[in-house]
Each structure stands twice: as C-alpha cells, then as structure tokens.
Amino acid sequence: MLLLGTFAIAALVVMQWRHASGEEQPRPRLALAALRDVSTVGALQPRALREASGITPSSTQPDVYWSINDSGHDAELFALTGAGADLGRVRVAGARNRDWEAIASGVCGRERCLYIGDVGDNLARHRTVTIWRIGEPAAPGRGQQRTSTVADSLTLRYPDGPRDVEAMWVDALGDLWFATKRRLQAPDGRARQALVYRVPASAWQANATVVATLVDSLPHVVTKAERTMITDAAWRPPAASDSAADGGRLAIRTYGFVFVFATTATGGRPARLLATCDLRPLDERQGEGLAWRPDGRLLFASEGRGAPLVAARCP
C-alpha cells in the first residue's frame, strides 16, 4: 500500500486565466497541495490492456469501470472492477480505433451511454476526429467477450484547426467537453493556455460534420515539459457537500499534476479552481487515466500491463 503524508509541497506555480476573448487576468500564486488518503487499490489485470489511455466508472453497474487501449489496438472496451480485476471485453460494432485517447460515461437522452473519443492527434494534422457512442452494456464477465450494438458516431472539427486532445468529459446535459493536450503557441510566440471546447448533446442529430465551440481556456500553460501535458479528465455531478451554486466537480490531469475545479451550475464548464496537486509521488509510468470513485477520491491509472491503480484526494 502506498502511503503519503499530508504535508504541503513547497513548489509554487504561476498561472494566468485567458478568456476566449484573449484578455489575460493575473492569477495568484498557487501552492501545490499534497495528495491525501493515498492508497494503491489494485492493478490493471487484463493482459490485453497494455496502453490504458482512459478510464471511467459505469453509470449503471456498481464497482464496474471501463477502459480502452489507444492507437494500434482493436475497437474494444475493457470492463474492470475498481481494483482492476478483469470483467471481460466488449467489441464496439461499427467502430475503428485510429487513436482512442478518451472515454466517458454519461447521459444520452433517456439512456446511459459510453462515449469513446478517437481524438488523439500527436502531430495535429487530422482535419476531423470521431466520437463513438454506445448504450452502456453489461460487463461480460472474466475472460468473456461480447459485441455491442452498432455504435453511433459524431464527426467533429475544431474551429481553429486540428488539435491533439486526450481529455474529454460529459456533463449532466449530455454535452461533450474537450481540453487540448499539447503546447499551443500564440501569434507572438508565447505559449498559450490549454483550450476548452464544447459540443452540445443536440449535435448527435446532425447529419454533417459538427464544429466544436471554443469556450474558454484553462489556468494552465502547457510547456515543452512532458509533465505539463493534459492526458485525461473526469466530471461528477454535485455532491451534498458541494456548494449549492456549483454544477459538479471536474478533475483534469496531466502527467505531473491534477487540477480540481467546481463547474458551472448549468453544465461542465470549469469555473473556480479549487486545488492543484502534484502527482510525482505516484511514480507513474505514463499516467493517462482518471476517474471519480464513489468515496469521493480520484482513481489514477497508467499505461503498461499490470499498471497499479491508485486512489487519492486532491487536496
């Protein structure tokens, strides 16, 4: 079991918030908090799950999570327990895996669905990307494999050109949200804040390519340092302990940090930054998975066969 103290880490980061209008507003210096209640809760047991690029809890089955492999693998989902035990695989009918980098569970009309983001684009060269959606299936069981119903697909593009994305979340309205992964450069050559895009739930009714809306930016500048790159996100509805004005909690992770935001009352847009925690003590091989657990802790997953699953609170 991995145990960490609750002492504050002395490192400081300076962040600025740049709204979609381009106006910058200084943000105060933020002390990086230490993760709390940290424990290794299991490991990724399916042998074929070698490059887990995302993880999300089931919205219909207790103690079931779903994960995916990224590019170069089959179009299939892996069902797991919260401790990483194998609960079988589901092949996604009609889908292909160009570079699956995100998965989220959420509403889709009156049903509950799994959303799969084929949004990875390391070189930012794809004019369009695809989101796949299926009604959430039952976990098949250890060693079992099933095939889903034919997946719905949504083709989208970003209004300002191709982007590399690995963070996707679904809010209570069924709207999709995305945050950019890599360093972005402003016209004056400076690094820009990571950008946030939104696609409304109604977009699934379109018969043509959908253009995502550039909504805002995050108080985080992705640099050339790998640990600053954004690799996953997870949203949860408001809990009893949350402020009545909040619409839930959003966690966004990089290879080296996790940010926790309160979201707007009407959706999944990040609002107040509540905490920033340092992930270096987790010593992950390549941390790309993030999910909320029922106990309010975050679940961190890394690529690699048998990679550990670690739960923690921030702050």
Side-chain angles (χ1 to χ4, degrees):
M1 177 179 292
L2 175 63
L3 296 173
L4 298 177
T6 58
F7 59 90
I9 297 177
L12 295 175
V13 294
V14 180
M15 299 180 181
Q16 289 181 324
W17 186 284
R18 173 177 289 153
H19 292 278
S21 65
E23 179 183 358
E24 290 187 355
Q25 299 181 6
R27 299 284 294 185
R29 286 177 177 266
L30 300 174
L32 293 181
L35 294 170
R36 299 184 296 113
D37 299 338
V38 184
S39 62
T40 298
V41 295
L44 299 175
Q45 294 183 15
R47 292 184 58 80
L49 184 58
R50 295 187 292 270
E51 296 184 77
S53 56
I55 190 168
T56 192
S58 166
S59 57
T60 64
Q61 303 159 88
D63 197 36
V64 173
Y65 291 78
W66 297 95
S67 188
I68 51 175
N69 277 319
D70 58 19
S71 60
H73 295 87
D74 293 334
E76 60 184 2
L77 307 172
F78 293 82
L80 313 162
T81 69
D86 180 11
L87 292 178
R89 290 183 283 175
V90 175
R91 182 174 294 275
V92 183
R96 70 183 184 96
N97 181 350
R98 180 169 68 181
D99 193 2
W100 287 9
E101 290 288 358
I103 183 170
S105 56
V107 298
C108 50
R110 296 181 179 180
E111 299 182 50
R112 309 295 295 190
C113 287
L114 294 175
Y115 294 81
I116 306 152
D118 198 344
V119 291
D121 188 4
N122 290 343
L123 300 179
R125 63 185 182 185
H126 300 315
R127 296 184 61 185
T128 63
V129 295
T130 303
I131 311 300
W132 303 99
R133 184 180 72 174
I134 60 170
E136 184 177 339
R142 180 179 176 85
Q144 302 299 308
Q145 182 171 345
R146 296 177 184 165
T147 300
S148 74
T149 56
V150 176
D152 295 330
S153 65
L154 178 70
T155 302
L156 68 89
R157 65 179 177 85
Y158 305 105
D160 42 0
R163 300 295 188 197
D164 188 24
V165 167
E166 293 191 4
M168 177 185 77
W169 62 99
V170 182
D171 67 19
L173 303 175
D175 293 350
L176 288 164
W177 298 80
F178 306 88
T180 53
K181 176 183 180 179
R182 296 180 185 274
R183 182 178 186 270
L184 301 175
Q185 189 169 312
D188 62 4
R190 292 185 299 172
R192 299 176 62 187
Q193 284 86 348
L195 300 177
V196 176
Y197 300 87
R198 171 182 168 269
V199 174
S202 59
W204 290 91
Q205 302 171 14
N207 294 318
T209 298
V210 173
V211 181
T213 299
L214 174 58
V215 174
D216 223 323
S217 56
L218 296 174
H220 172 60
V221 175
V222 181
T223 68
K224 294 180 179 179
E226 186 176 83
R227 69 191 303 263
T228 68
M229 296 179 183
I230 294 173
T231 61
D232 204 3
W235 180 85
R236 68 158 174 82
S241 58
D242 295 342
S243 167
D246 296 340
R249 290 289 182 267
L250 171 67
I252 296 179
R253 70 161 299 164
T254 74
Y255 289 119
F257 306 99
V258 63
F259 305 94
V260 177
F261 296 88
T263 58
T264 53
T266 56
R269 180 173 177 169
R272 293 181 296 118
L273 177 61
L274 302 176
T276 307
C277 293
D278 195 336
L279 300 184
R280 284 177 294 185
L282 300 187
D283 194 27
E284 295 176 294
R285 174 182 174 182
Q286 187 171 333
E288 296 200 4
L290 181 69
W292 289 99
R293 287 167 43 98
D295 64 3
R297 289 191 293 173
L298 289 164
L299 183 66
F300 298 92
S302 178
E303 289 195 356
R305 181 178 289 171
L309 290 170
V310 179
R313 299 185 193 278
C314 174

